[in-house]
Amino acid sequence: MRRARWAVPLLLVLPAIVVIAAVVLLPLVVSLYSSFTAYTMIHPASLYRWVGWRNYRRLIEDSGFWWAFGRTVVFLTVALNLELLLGLGLALLIAQVTRGQRLLRTVLMFPMMFSPVLVGFQFNFLLNDNVGLLDNALLQIGAIRQPIPWLVNGATANLSILVAEIWMSTSVFAILLLAGLLAMPHEPVEAARVDGCSAWQSFRYITLPFLMPFVYIAMTIRSLDVGRAFDMVRIMTNGGPAGRTELVWTLMATVGFQDGQMGRANAMAYLSIILSIVFTFYFARKLASARAALGDTA
Amino acid sequence: MRRFATKQGLGAATLIAALLGAVSAPAARAEDPGKFPGYTLKVKLIGGNQYDPLYKRIPEWEKATGAKVEILSSKNGFDLDKELKADLAAGNVRWCAGWDHTSFMAQYGDLYTNLFDLVPKATQDTFIQRTLQSAVIDGKLMLLPWHTDVSDMYFQKSLYADASNQARYKAKYGKDLAPPDTIDDFRNQVEFFAHPPTMYGTVFAGKEEGLNGRFYEMLLSYGGTYLGKDYRPMFNSEAGVKALEFFRDIYAAKAVPAGTINYLWDDIGQSFASGSVALDFDWPGWAAYFNDPKNSKIAGNVGVARAPAGPSGKRLGWSGSHGFSITKACDNKPAAVSFITWMTDYDTNMLEARRGLMPANAKAFDDIIAEVKAKHDDYMTNVFEVWQKSLAEDAYPVPHIAQWIEISNASYPEFQAAILGQKTPKEALDTAAKKATQILEDAGLLKD
């Protein structure tokens, strides 16, 4: 009787389980297995050449990989926080607009519509130190005497990539946070105003707590989605020069797809997955606590 | 002969050239393409606007043979390379003919078949033999080339004609100012002409295979060897240090834009076309662009000269050819042979040559020179004559190993570190050689 009660639901979800196993679980298992092999794309038989921990051992000893890993952590942290701040600012400004808000919301989404490859080319052209717009403009107005090689120096190259990424993705935060602001009830803010709260106090103690679930949802989505910046970085510097802007994504793509060393690339991916898990776990916990706090307030 | 009679007209200029006797009997033409009615040939081709004129020949082949061509993929070379590797990895090769390149072909050893067994000798003989030989690995012909590349020197003529430049150069180096014939001349002139930020001596490919390729030809010109006969990396030699020092020195002298370390071919071409670069050691595909006033500020002021030679006497000559190959899995090899022969024949080569690309067909090379001469186009005549000599005497491909791109990716960050002054050339080369050794050991080419 008990078995029969489970059988029907199980039967109903079985197709979903099969599909998920086929499109998620199986590739994960195969890629994990291949990370212990000498798998090279141009020699399919190498998938069966077991090399044990060799790929992982080499990665752990490879300072270049760990620099790329650390740079990716910093890039993620700085980019997401700045995008959040700027996105929040934009959302608050647009929420104040009474006429033409729909048009502004559409304009705001323009950068999101560009493919990262296009953004990469666009910034590459802007920042080219010989024929680029920025250096030529600065030279013309006499602000500099020699062009600045934006994409060569480690600090300016990483900053340039960060600016391009922020330009491309801030609107994601702005749109999500604007949705939160528009969904927010007006009464608490009006009551605070009547009680004599300053604009900052209203924002800090009423608006922001209400927005926090949206913030963490946006953070979670963006932390998983930020990898699409790979195409942009690839066009702008491809991790160079001399590895100065190398991120885990560019390194993996080079090793996996250009070198065809899928075994090693998969080992990199499994080491990097730690990063995704940490970020996702952190934001999921923060989201839960923000929702709980909102519930308590309500 | 029958095909020649049914082809579209060759244009007035060619007819004039023919009347002048420059175009001889069509001995170089391929044989009858055959008939394959109802057959669909599946192909994977390199994509991009620049290849569209070439692909206009596909409907002509369909009409001549009764077959259909289904293009399964049309991506840029690097993306197509990834797709071909993925096909190999998945064992999913259900197509017949595809794009190939001499710099990539060693990776596709299990994908493509030996064309010596399929393509008639008479057809093979129509190609420039040095170019055809560059497509041979272990006695197997991997592709039929449709056009080929080697770099030569573009320069701004006005800089050389300037009396003040001539006098200053003579006083400084004790030589007449003329386009560089040696690598030492090249270095001297690059530094001599540089007045940043308005004028740079040159620009070079500063990353990826581009940098490794440029290092490779410089190494050979200094008398070095990239890989030994047993595949052991040998580029961390004295010649290797000198080759890398060339790039480091002109970078340190600010004779090139600092950003050149991130440049690839488009950036380089655009820089020269902007008029802010004196000398550009570059591919022939840019020749028409540089002399076109719509694109280039230096149109009418561009000269070309053969690549300079190093102390070994060898001229810079890293070369590569686009081409077509046939898969081992192809279910109709005669149709595939007909297709790739058609796409690399005399008419295709003339079509490409009229766009400024260097033909791989020997007769087409002679005929295009006759054609541009008849048009009194001195610039393109010079371009074709200079490149004809380079392709016949100087050009050589990269080492034919499947790991060339992988070694390039491992080496170029080290070369960049040396150019930027982070490491000495010797340190960078030793590290790069160590990485290359590991790659070759993993591939089973090196036993230790």
Side-chain angles (χ1 to χ4, degrees), chain B residues 68-389:
Chain B
K68 284 278 163 209
V69 175
E70 184 182 347
I71 300 173
L72 298 181
S73 187
S74 179
K75 298 176 174 171
N76 73 59
F78 292 102
D79 287 339
L80 191 55
D81 170 60
K82 288 176 201 162
E83 185 175 312
L84 299 184
K85 286 174 187 165
D87 283 352
L88 265 172
N92 180 31
V93 183
R94 295 193 181 87
W95 45 281
C96 256
W99 167 83
D100 202 350
H101 193 280
T102 51
S103 293
F104 290 75
M105 64 185 185
Q107 303 173 101
Y108 312 138
D110 294 335
L111 178 67
Y112 290 136
T113 194
N114 178 11
L115 296 177
F116 277 140
D117 297 338
L118 299 173
V119 177
K121 179 77 169 57
T123 306
Q124 294 171 29
D125 290 344
T126 62
F127 292 91
I128 294 167
Q129 288 306 296
R130 196 179 176 103
T131 302
L132 195 73
Q133 284 306 312
S134 73
V136 175
I137 305 177
D138 297 333
K140 295 175 187 167
L141 179 62
M142 301 311 294
L143 63 84
L144 287 187
W146 99 70
H147 82 249
T148 191
D149 280 329
V150 67
S151 293
D152 276 311
M153 195 67 76
Y154 296 94
F155 59 90
Q156 291 197 39
K157 286 193 290 190
S158 57
L159 295 173
Y160 287 84
D162 184 275
S164 158
N165 280 344
Q166 288 173 355
R168 284 193 304 115
Y169 188 82
K170 179 96 176 175
K172 188 167 183 186
Y173 299 105
K175 288 180 88 173
D176 289 332
L177 180 60
D181 193 49
T182 67
I183 288 173
D184 284 342
D185 292 342
F186 185 25
R187 184 201 310 254
N188 290 342
Q189 291 182 17
V190 159
E191 293 181 4
F192 176 76
F193 286 125
H195 294 287
T198 50
M199 180 62 76
Y200 292 97
T202 190
V203 273
F204 59 81
K207 63 181 179 182
E208 300 172 24
E209 193 216 0
L211 179 56
N212 194 34
R214 287 288 179 241
F215 166 77
Y216 166 64
E217 59 189 341
M218 194 64 76
L219 171 78
L220 267 56
S221 289
Y222 271 106
T225 305
Y226 199 88
L227 297 177
K229 283 197 168 59
D230 60 349
Y231 297 109
R232 192 161 296 283
M234 294 178 72
F235 54 77
N236 53 336
S237 57
E238 196 180 330
V241 170
K242 285 188 173 144
L244 199 47
E245 278 174 352
F246 173 86
F247 297 103
R248 184 202 61 181
D249 291 350
I250 60 173
Y251 193 87
K254 299 190 191 303
V256 291
T260 200
I261 204 75
N262 280 325
Y263 286 8
L264 270 182
W265 312 118
D266 281 356
D267 308 292
I268 293 167
Q270 296 297 342
S271 293
F272 187 63
S274 76
S276 61
V277 172
L279 290 148
D280 179 22
F281 184 62
D282 215 331
W283 306 105
W286 287 102
Y289 184 92
F290 289 152
N291 215 36
D292 179 355
K294 286 199 291 282
N295 303 315
S296 169
K297 287 185 181 171
I298 49 169
N301 184 30
V302 184
V304 289
R306 204 169 156 193
S312 72
K314 205 176 176 82
R315 290 181 187 272
L316 303 176
W318 169 35
S319 172
S321 300
H322 285 277
F324 293 101
S325 299
I326 296 175
T327 61
K328 286 181 179 171
C330 179
D331 61 346
N332 191 339
K333 290 194 171 73
V337 169
S338 167
F339 177 75
I340 70 166
T341 304
W342 182 279
M343 296 301 285
T344 56
D345 72 359
Y346 172 85
D347 288 341
T348 297
N349 273 265
M350 286 301 287
L351 190 77
E352 293 285 88
R354 288 188 188 109
R355 299 170 51 225
L357 302 174
M358 297 300 128
N361 178 295
K363 183 173 157 43
F365 224 126
D366 292 334
D367 288 357
I368 191 65
I369 291 174
E371 190 173 304
V372 291
K373 266 187 183 163
K375 287 179 181 170
H376 305 292
D377 185 343
D378 294 341
Y379 172 71
M380 285 311 291
T381 301
N382 194 20
V383 165
F384 281 116
E385 284 177 346
V386 165
W387 258 277
Q388 188 178 40
K389 204 164 181 60

Side-chain angles (χ1 to χ4, degrees), chain A residues 39 41-42 44 49 54 58 128-131 145-147 149 151-152 238 241-242 244 254 257-259 261 264, chain B residues 85-86 88-89 107 196-197 200 208 251 257-259 261-263 271 274 276 402 406 409 413 416 420 422 438 442:
Chain A
Y39 184 35
M41 288 172 85
I42 56 170
R49 230 183 88 207
R54 189 185 80 180
R58 282 186 183 170
N128 183 299
D129 64 332
N130 188 22
V131 292
R145 286 184 166 188
Q146 291 294 326
L151 298 176
V152 175
N238 198 20
R244 288 172 179 179
T254 302
F257 291 109
Q258 283 187 24
D259 299 350
Q261 295 288 348
R264 192 146 50 94
Chain B
K85 286 174 187 165
L88 265 172
Q107 303 173 101
Y200 292 97
E208 300 172 24
Y251 193 87
I261 204 75
N262 280 325
Y263 286 8
S271 293
S274 76
S276 61
E406 193 178 352
N409 286 333
Q416 286 180 324
L420 293 168
Q422 275 177 227
Q438 188 180 73
D442 287 351

